[in-house]
Amino acid sequence: MRAVGTVHRDYKISTIDPRLYGSFVEHLGRAVYSGIYEPDHPTADENGMRQDVIDLVRELDVPVVRYPGGNFVSAYNWEDGIGPKEDRPVRLDLAWHTSESNQVGIHEFADWAKAANTEMMLAVNLGSRGLDEARAFLEYVNHPGGSYWSDLRRKNGREEPWNVKLWCLGNEMDGPWQIGQKTAEEYGRVAFETAKAMRAFDKSIELVVCGSSSPKMPTYPAWEATVLDYTYDSVDYISLHMYFENHAGDTAAYLAQNARLDDYIETIASVIKVTKAKKRSKKDVYISFDEWNVWYHSNEADRKVLEGRDGWPHAPELLEDIYNFEDVLQVGCILNTFIRRADVVKVGCLAQLVNVIAPIMTVPGGPAWRQTTYYPYLFASRYGRGTSYQLSIDSPSYATDFAEKVPYLDVSAVESDTDGALTLFIVNRHQTDAITLDVALEGFGDRKVIMDKVIAGHELKAVNGPEKQPVAPADGSGLTVEEGRLKGEIAPLSYRMIRLG
Ligand code: AHR
């Protein structure tokens, strides 16, 4: 089997916003407590943050982390997490039916973000609360001083404002599970008024309005049309969320699901365009895909935890998906889709970062370790920044229930804005056959292979764990550039990253 094509330097898709490779930390399960924060851990720093986790986050080079939720934010009082720790109240978290100790709040998270070399993306509570809480939180976080909330921050030990740029106007407000769920009309009005108040404080912040929680929502995509009708000129991004699963155990259909993702993005990009025309607006609104990941391995375990208990545990093991090799391929395909749609998707958050559907896992008191999906995320984050290029590749394809032509080879291409290397991210979804790749590199000058990484040859259900991480990248070989063409074999069921310098 052969896949023949071209990547041409004149055919750019878009500059990639580095925030496409963001992530997410929610007060959920063990993401915060015994995830990023564990004061008794041997590697804990002076703030109680696990240095081993910080090191892994730094290795991933995560540009932005969304916080504090998620469903959690819709019944959260951010003021509970400020001031002396011993005075902070324990609250019942209605989203996940747990106890929240509030030992980590905005100060601790901001310090962690700095140590982890990442920016904060903050969400305000538009579920149980609203505009007033949002403006107070913004003033606390971003105002230099001389006002009630900013002086309280200074009193609490932080002199300088954090100047957070990116703010989410609530979370998944279309979902019946959300505390304070709203209709699109109700939410559109609240989001508009909240955006107005927040912009009255600072015009330069960027605002994300809630889109659909999933393309399966009954209100999709009318939700986006209504919400944008209210907010188009007041916001910068509309959020989309999507999770992927393989309950059916159908690898071919599972690995084709980025066709659905593509359709989702395309549909909302169209809603954005129509709204822009309707409003006669000059500004653009983009997509913040601020929750995406594989999420299904832990469904059964979570059901047992959530249904079988009568108490309100603190930081129980929730959403602890253990990822396998098949998920490496899936995450690789999803990231390829985002790179190819970098013209409209500007922000992306892998949900989540630590312990909760996460690439990084921790053992309380023990090691932090890399899940299988850590690696495609690592490679995209480190080498997928710059300019995204169109690829025209004629690959053999297959059909599924929802897509007629799914190319076996899923490929994206990025020219780095730092070292100029051209990087191809390649997934071969064929389950038995290698595919011979032959891509003409037009306008990129003389290139040779400078890095070749491959994840292949594992059982689809192979996983990593705290003791052993067998699913990890190896050095690839056999791909070469000959007379301006990249040629070589791509193994069946493989993830490959090839850099040409
Ligand atoms: O990421 C886990 C949960 O998924 C988030 O809290 C919520 O926004 C979504 O439903």
Side-chain angles (χ1 to χ4, degrees), residues 56-57 59-60 359-360 370-379:
L56 289 177
V57 178
E59 180 176 75
L60 286 170
I360 300 171
R370 298 169 182 85
Q371 292 241 43
T372 62
T373 52
Y374 182 94
Y375 297 105
Y377 179 45
L378 171 82
F379 289 136

Side-chain angles (χ1 to χ4, degrees), residues 83-386:
K85 284 190 172 181
E86 59 280 13
D87 295 342
R88 297 186 191 174
V90 172
R91 297 276 188 197
L92 301 183
D93 162 36
L94 303 177
W96 302 103
H97 211 273
T98 53
S99 290
E100 172 55 51
S101 67
N102 283 304
Q103 293 304 291
V104 172
I106 183 63
H107 288 260
E108 291 76 23
F109 185 71
D111 288 345
W112 176 84
K114 187 163 188 287
N117 194 29
T118 189
E119 297 288 326
M120 294 189 282
M121 172 183 190
L122 295 178
V124 299
N125 172 356
L126 294 188
S128 67
R129 306 181 86 188
L131 186 160
D132 202 41
E133 178 262 353
R135 74 179 178 122
F137 191 31
L138 178 60
E139 185 184 310
Y140 190 90
V141 170
N142 277 6
H143 196 57
S147 68
Y148 176 79
W149 290 110
S150 58
D151 285 345
L152 186 58
R153 181 198 67 237
R154 293 166 69 205
K155 190 171 150 237
N156 286 334
R158 170 74 191 192
E159 185 58 33
E160 298 300 320
W162 288 294
N163 290 322
V164 171
K165 186 102 183 132
L166 201 49
W167 292 81
C168 305
L169 298 166
N171 176 69
E172 294 189 348
M173 299 309 301
D174 60 336
W177 58 86
Q178 203 68 213
I179 303 295
Q181 183 203 3
K182 294 178 176 36
T183 65
E185 297 276 343
E186 289 165 347
Y187 174 65
R189 283 286 304 139
V190 169
F192 170 74
E193 290 299 337
T194 307
K196 191 165 86 186
M198 292 175 81
R199 288 221 187 277
F201 172 81
D202 179 358
K203 286 195 175 37
S204 75
I205 54 171
E206 294 184 306
L207 296 175
V208 185
V209 74
C210 293
S212 291
S213 306
S214 138
K216 291 184 182 152
M217 297 303 289
T219 47
Y220 163 81
W223 173 276
E224 282 82 354
T226 305
V227 166
L228 283 177
D229 208 27
Y230 281 106
T231 59
Y232 191 89
D233 284 314
S234 314
V235 300
D236 303 284
Y237 307 95
I238 183 153
S239 76
L240 294 182
H241 294 177
M242 189 169 180
Y243 291 98
F244 300 81
E245 49 84 9
N246 187 16
H247 281 301
D250 181 343
T251 299
Y254 177 55
L255 296 181
Q257 283 185 30
N258 65 334
R260 285 190 157 135
L261 172 63
D262 216 20
D263 193 47
Y264 191 21
I265 294 169
E266 186 57 28
T267 303
I268 299 310
S270 306
V271 174
I272 292 171
K273 272 194 187 154
V274 169
T275 313
K276 181 180 179 183
K278 194 172 153 191
K279 300 269 174 197
R280 314 288 191 258
S281 179
K282 289 198 167 43
K283 78 187 271 283
D284 288 306
V285 167
Y286 295 100
I287 293 171
S288 168
F289 218 109
D290 46 43
E291 282 187 38
W292 68 269
N293 204 347
V294 174
W295 176 9
Y296 79 102
H297 299 286
S298 63
N299 289 170
E300 198 47 41
D302 291 338
R303 210 165 292 128
K304 284 192 190 130
V305 177
L306 290 166
E307 281 170 6
R309 69 155 181 252
D310 27 339
W312 297 79
H314 178 63
E317 291 179 8
L318 283 174
L319 280 64
E320 299 206 4
D321 273 46
I322 299 300
Y323 294 116
N324 58 33
F325 169 58
E326 190 179 49
D327 302 325
V328 170
L329 307 176
Q330 178 70 303
V331 167
C333 288
I334 296 167
L335 285 162
N336 278 347
T337 304
F338 289 142
I339 291 169
R340 290 191 296 259
R341 296 316 313 263
D343 53 334
V344 287
V345 183
K346 297 296 174 186
V347 179
C349 299
L350 173 67
Q352 298 190 11
L353 189 56
V354 185
N355 287 334
V356 169
I357 41 174
I360 300 171
M361 298 299 288
T362 67
V363 177
W369 54 278
R370 298 169 182 85
Q371 292 241 43
T372 62
T373 52
Y374 182 94
Y375 297 105
Y377 179 45
L378 171 82
F379 289 136
S381 173
R382 292 196 84 91
Y383 302 113
R385 302 185 191 199

